[in-house]
Amino acid sequence: MITDTPHEANGNGLLDGDRTVPPSSNLRTVLAADLYAMVPELKEDIQLQPRAGETVSFLLARLRSSTTPEEAVTMAAYAFQPRISVWWAHECIATMREHLTPIDHQLLELISAWAHDPSDANRRDIYDIALQAPSKTPGVWLGLATGASGGGRRDEPINLSTPRAVNAGVLSCLARGGLQQRSINLARFITLAQTLVGD
């Protein structure tokens, strides 16, 4: 469950004061085929292809009930606007705090602050910590995703998109929970994504 959704004045799909902005504005586009055309690497990362006229919402549901429901996580990482994608991943990863490292906890706190104040200075601070981390843990992946959400920097040592980093962060966190909890955690993550996608 989203604990404290960021507020936005420009109606980008978060909350705007006391008014809820329609969930569809959380997405890059409503139609799944349009998303595949917009982001060609989706064809590399998801085996299931969209049907004619299928919405992202319906494809997400179809992926959830497929033999590879993890692909629903991948779809969500790509389908959301970059800032929403990072926030969704933050909320997923935060439900598994007991499996995270101290640097993950530090980055989650900073990412939460950035979600409410998406300044370039905050983004760069997060990115610098993630780049210097000794290993790519879930929070570090999310820090890299946050850094990439602003278009990257000239001195950026890696070429990584926000969706791919979000996907890696959420799936690596899922792997830390153990096999017995995997389906429960996966269902929780996808349900949150579906809530943000809307109908």
Side-chain angles (χ1 to χ4, degrees):
M1 173 178 272
I2 296 179
T3 54
D4 183 21
T5 309
H7 287 69
E8 275 293 312
N10 61 7
N12 71 351
L14 301 173
L15 295 184
D16 184 6
D18 295 327
R19 179 177 64 89
T20 302
V21 178
S24 62
S25 62
N26 290 337
L27 300 174
R28 292 174 187 250
T29 183
V30 173
L31 291 179
D34 290 347
L35 182 65
Y36 275 67
M38 189 183 298
V39 190
E41 57 264 31
L42 257 177
K43 294 175 185 173
E44 300 169 20
D45 294 347
I46 297 178
Q47 292 181 13
L48 202 61
Q49 298 300 302
R51 297 171 178 158
E54 187 171 38
T55 63
V56 167
S57 176
F58 276 93
L59 180 54
L60 193 61
R62 205 155 54 93
L63 287 165
R64 181 178 192 160
S65 62
S66 74
T67 56
T68 54
E70 294 81 6
E71 288 191 343
V73 168
T74 305
M75 170 56 72
Y78 280 98
F80 292 127
Q81 298 285 353
R83 185 167 162 232
I84 303 294
S85 184
V86 170
W87 181 250
W88 165 72
H90 172 279
E91 294 296 280
C92 292
I93 292 170
T95 66
M96 297 179 62
R97 289 186 179 272
E98 69 275 17
H99 301 288
L100 303 178
T101 67
I103 195 166
D104 288 329
H105 290 285
Q106 177 190 10
L107 283 164
L108 285 180
E109 187 175 328
L110 292 170
I111 290 164
S112 179
W114 169 82
H116 292 82
D117 176 18
S119 69
D120 198 49
N122 284 345
R123 183 184 64 82
R124 282 196 314 266
D125 288 346
I126 292 164
Y127 200 36
D128 287 340
I129 292 169
L131 287 173
Q132 294 169 24
S135 60
K136 288 185 176 69
T137 57
V140 171
W141 278 117
L142 197 52
L144 294 172
T146 304
S149 73
R153 299 185 339 210
R154 286 187 177 180
D155 62 343
E156 183 179 331
I158 58 173
N159 182 17
L160 183 67
S161 70
T162 292
R164 281 201 164 148
V166 162
N167 188 47
V170 174
L171 291 179
S172 67
C173 189
L174 184 65
R176 289 173 173 237
L179 287 175
Q180 288 187 324
Q181 290 296 310
R182 184 179 179 87
S183 61
I184 295 168
N185 290 326
L186 180 59
R188 183 186 300 130
F189 296 172
I190 300 171
T191 297
L192 175 56
Q194 290 177 308
T195 299
L196 289 171
V197 166
D199 295 328

